[in-house]
Short mmCIF file of all heavy atoms in Angstrom, two decimals:
data_model
loop_
_atom_site.label_atom_id
_atom_site.label_comp_id
_atom_site.label_asym_id
_atom_site.label_seq_id
_atom_site.Cartn_x
_atom_site.Cartn_y
_atom_site.Cartn_z
N PHE A 1069 -2.46 -10.16 -7.48
CA PHE A 1069 -2.02 -9.14 -6.52
C PHE A 1069 -0.72 -9.60 -5.88
O PHE A 1069 -0.56 -10.78 -5.57
CB PHE A 1069 -3.08 -8.93 -5.44
CG PHE A 1069 -4.28 -8.17 -5.92
CD1 PHE A 1069 -5.23 -8.78 -6.73
CD2 PHE A 1069 -4.47 -6.85 -5.56
CE1 PHE A 1069 -6.34 -8.08 -7.18
CE2 PHE A 1069 -5.58 -6.14 -6.00
CZ PHE A 1069 -6.51 -6.76 -6.82
N GLU A 1070 0.18 -8.65 -5.68
CA GLU A 1070 1.47 -8.95 -5.08
C GLU A 1070 1.84 -7.86 -4.08
O GLU A 1070 2.10 -6.72 -4.48
CB GLU A 1070 2.52 -9.03 -6.19
CG GLU A 1070 3.89 -9.42 -5.72
CD GLU A 1070 4.84 -9.53 -6.91
OE1 GLU A 1070 4.58 -10.35 -7.81
OE2 GLU A 1070 5.83 -8.77 -6.91
N PRO A 1071 1.86 -8.19 -2.80
CA PRO A 1071 2.27 -7.18 -1.81
C PRO A 1071 3.72 -6.76 -2.03
O PRO A 1071 4.58 -7.61 -2.32
CB PRO A 1071 2.10 -7.91 -0.47
CG PRO A 1071 1.14 -9.00 -0.75
CD PRO A 1071 1.40 -9.42 -2.16
N TYR A 1072 3.97 -5.48 -1.91
CA TYR A 1072 5.33 -4.94 -2.00
C TYR A 1072 5.92 -5.02 -0.59
O TYR A 1072 5.94 -4.05 0.15
CB TYR A 1072 5.28 -3.50 -2.50
CG TYR A 1072 6.63 -2.89 -2.76
CD1 TYR A 1072 7.37 -3.25 -3.87
CD2 TYR A 1072 7.17 -1.96 -1.88
CE1 TYR A 1072 8.61 -2.69 -4.12
CE2 TYR A 1072 8.41 -1.40 -2.11
CZ TYR A 1072 9.13 -1.77 -3.23
OH TYR A 1072 10.35 -1.21 -3.46
N ALA A 1073 6.33 -6.24 -0.23
CA ALA A 1073 6.80 -6.52 1.13
C ALA A 1073 7.51 -7.86 1.13
O ALA A 1073 7.29 -8.68 0.23
CB ALA A 1073 5.61 -6.56 2.09
N PRO A 1074 8.33 -8.09 2.13
CA PRO A 1074 8.96 -9.42 2.25
C PRO A 1074 7.89 -10.49 2.45
O PRO A 1074 6.83 -10.24 3.02
CB PRO A 1074 9.83 -9.30 3.51
CG PRO A 1074 9.87 -7.86 3.86
CD PRO A 1074 8.73 -7.18 3.20
N GLU A 1075 8.18 -11.69 1.98
CA GLU A 1075 7.20 -12.78 2.05
C GLU A 1075 6.77 -13.12 3.47
O GLU A 1075 5.67 -13.63 3.67
CB GLU A 1075 7.74 -14.03 1.35
CG GLU A 1075 7.77 -13.87 -0.14
CD GLU A 1075 8.21 -15.13 -0.86
OE1 GLU A 1075 8.21 -16.22 -0.24
OE2 GLU A 1075 8.55 -15.03 -2.04
N PHE A 1076 7.60 -12.82 4.47
CA PHE A 1076 7.21 -13.15 5.85
C PHE A 1076 6.19 -12.15 6.42
O PHE A 1076 5.66 -12.36 7.50
CB PHE A 1076 8.43 -13.24 6.78
CG PHE A 1076 9.29 -12.01 6.83
CD1 PHE A 1076 8.94 -10.91 7.59
CD2 PHE A 1076 10.48 -11.96 6.11
CE1 PHE A 1076 9.73 -9.78 7.63
CE2 PHE A 1076 11.29 -10.84 6.15
CZ PHE A 1076 10.91 -9.74 6.91
N ASP A 1077 5.88 -11.08 5.67
CA ASP A 1077 4.88 -10.11 6.13
C ASP A 1077 3.46 -10.49 5.74
O ASP A 1077 2.51 -9.84 6.17
CB ASP A 1077 5.19 -8.72 5.55
CG ASP A 1077 6.28 -8.00 6.31
OD1 ASP A 1077 6.66 -8.44 7.40
OD2 ASP A 1077 6.75 -6.96 5.79
N TYR A 1078 3.29 -11.52 4.92
CA TYR A 1078 1.95 -11.89 4.47
C TYR A 1078 1.87 -13.39 4.19
O TYR A 1078 2.87 -14.07 4.05
CB TYR A 1078 1.54 -11.09 3.24
CG TYR A 1078 2.43 -11.29 2.03
CD1 TYR A 1078 2.14 -12.27 1.09
CD2 TYR A 1078 3.57 -10.51 1.84
CE1 TYR A 1078 2.95 -12.46 -0.02
CE2 TYR A 1078 4.38 -10.69 0.74
CZ TYR A 1078 4.06 -11.66 -0.19
OH TYR A 1078 4.88 -11.85 -1.28
N ARG A 1079 0.61 -13.85 4.13
CA ARG A 1079 0.30 -15.24 3.78
C ARG A 1079 -0.67 -15.24 2.62
O ARG A 1079 -1.51 -14.34 2.50
CB ARG A 1079 -0.33 -15.98 4.95
CG ARG A 1079 0.59 -16.17 6.12
CD ARG A 1079 -0.10 -16.87 7.24
NE ARG A 1079 -1.34 -16.13 7.55
CZ ARG A 1079 -2.19 -16.45 8.49
NH1 ARG A 1079 -1.99 -17.49 9.23
NH2 ARG A 1079 -3.27 -15.73 8.72
N ILE A 1080 -0.58 -16.26 1.79
CA ILE A 1080 -1.48 -16.39 0.63
C ILE A 1080 -2.17 -17.74 0.68
O ILE A 1080 -1.53 -18.76 0.89
CB ILE A 1080 -0.70 -16.24 -0.69
CG1 ILE A 1080 -0.12 -14.84 -0.81
CG2 ILE A 1080 -1.60 -16.56 -1.89
CD1 ILE A 1080 0.71 -14.60 -2.05
N LYS A 1081 -3.50 -17.72 0.47
CA LYS A 1081 -4.29 -18.94 0.37
C LYS A 1081 -5.08 -18.88 -0.93
O LYS A 1081 -5.82 -17.93 -1.15
CB LYS A 1081 -5.25 -19.06 1.56
CG LYS A 1081 -4.55 -19.24 2.89
CD LYS A 1081 -5.54 -19.33 4.02
CE LYS A 1081 -6.16 -20.70 4.03
NZ LYS A 1081 -7.04 -20.93 5.19
#
Side-chain angles (χ1 to χ4, degrees):
F1069 286 75
E1070 183 177 300
Y1072 186 75
E1075 288 184 16
F1076 57 79
D1077 280 348
Y1078 61 92
R1079 294 178 307 181
I1080 295 178
K1081 294 179 77 175

